[in-house]
Amino acid sequence: MFCLNDTMRYFLCPGKTDMRKGMNSLCGVVQNLMGYEVRMGDVFIFINRNRTTMKLLHAEDGGLVLYMKRLEEGTFRIPAYDEKSRSYPMQWRDLVMMVEGIRDDPGSRLKRLKAMRHG
């Protein structure tokens, strides 16, 4: 069940992440690189070097959840880095805008592939 929402805290990991990493390796990145504990319920966002793949790691009741999105067209736009938190603190709307390719200008969007739907 997809249970991310606007009441959670979101943190984008600094640098580029190897998308071959799974849950355990990403938990190590959160703890060792970012200085956070995954089990606190925050959502941690990882982006690859080309900015075409994103993984979200989140602890919820019952266990860890890992979401992944790969763009077929376009790239994810990265927000400004915050030295104090050693990450890119974000809100739900920032994540949605990044995933959907929405820019600050409401009339423009970054390139995204349209899903083919039947019927």
Side-chain angles (χ1 to χ4, degrees), residues 48-90:
N48 70 336
R49 179 177 46 90
N50 295 331
R51 296 183 302 140
T52 56
T53 304
M54 172 188 294
K55 286 187 177 182
L56 306 174
L57 180 64
H58 169 64
E60 60 183 34
D61 293 341
L64 291 174
V65 179
L66 184 64
Y67 303 103
M68 181 175 168
K69 178 159 186 162
R70 186 183 77 198
L71 298 177
E72 297 296 324
E73 289 189 45
T75 58
F76 294 112
R77 185 171 166 217
I78 307 297
Y81 181 72
D82 178 29
E83 290 287 336
K84 184 177 178 183
S85 68
R86 294 182 294 163
S87 72
Y88 303 81
M90 300 171 56

Side-chain angles (χ1 to χ4, degrees), residues 8-99:
M8 300 172 165
R9 295 190 315 169
Y10 295 84
F11 297 96
L12 178 62
C13 180
K16 312 307 178 214
T17 302
D18 182 346
M19 287 296 125
R20 295 175 292 183
K21 291 183 183 290
M23 282 187 188
N24 293 334
S25 297
L26 292 174
C27 285
V29 170
V30 168
Q31 188 171 29
N32 299 326
L33 178 64
M34 298 176 72
Y36 290 97
E37 174 57 51
V38 173
R39 293 179 290 172
M40 296 302 291
D42 298 321
V43 179
F44 298 94
I45 305 162
F46 306 91
I47 306 267
N48 70 336
R49 179 177 46 90
N50 295 331
R51 296 183 302 140
T52 56
T53 304
M54 172 188 294
K55 286 187 177 182
L56 306 174
L57 180 64
H58 169 64
E60 60 183 34
D61 293 341
L64 291 174
V65 179
L66 184 64
Y67 303 103
M68 181 175 168
K69 178 159 186 162
R70 186 183 77 198
L71 298 177
E72 297 296 324
E73 289 189 45
T75 58
F76 294 112
R77 185 171 166 217
I78 307 297
Y81 181 72
D82 178 29
E83 290 287 336
K84 184 177 178 183
S85 68
R86 294 182 294 163
S87 72
Y88 303 81
M90 300 171 56
Q91 296 178 351
W92 170 249
R93 66 178 181 83
D94 301 321
L95 175 62
V96 171
M97 288 175 65
M98 184 180 358
V99 169

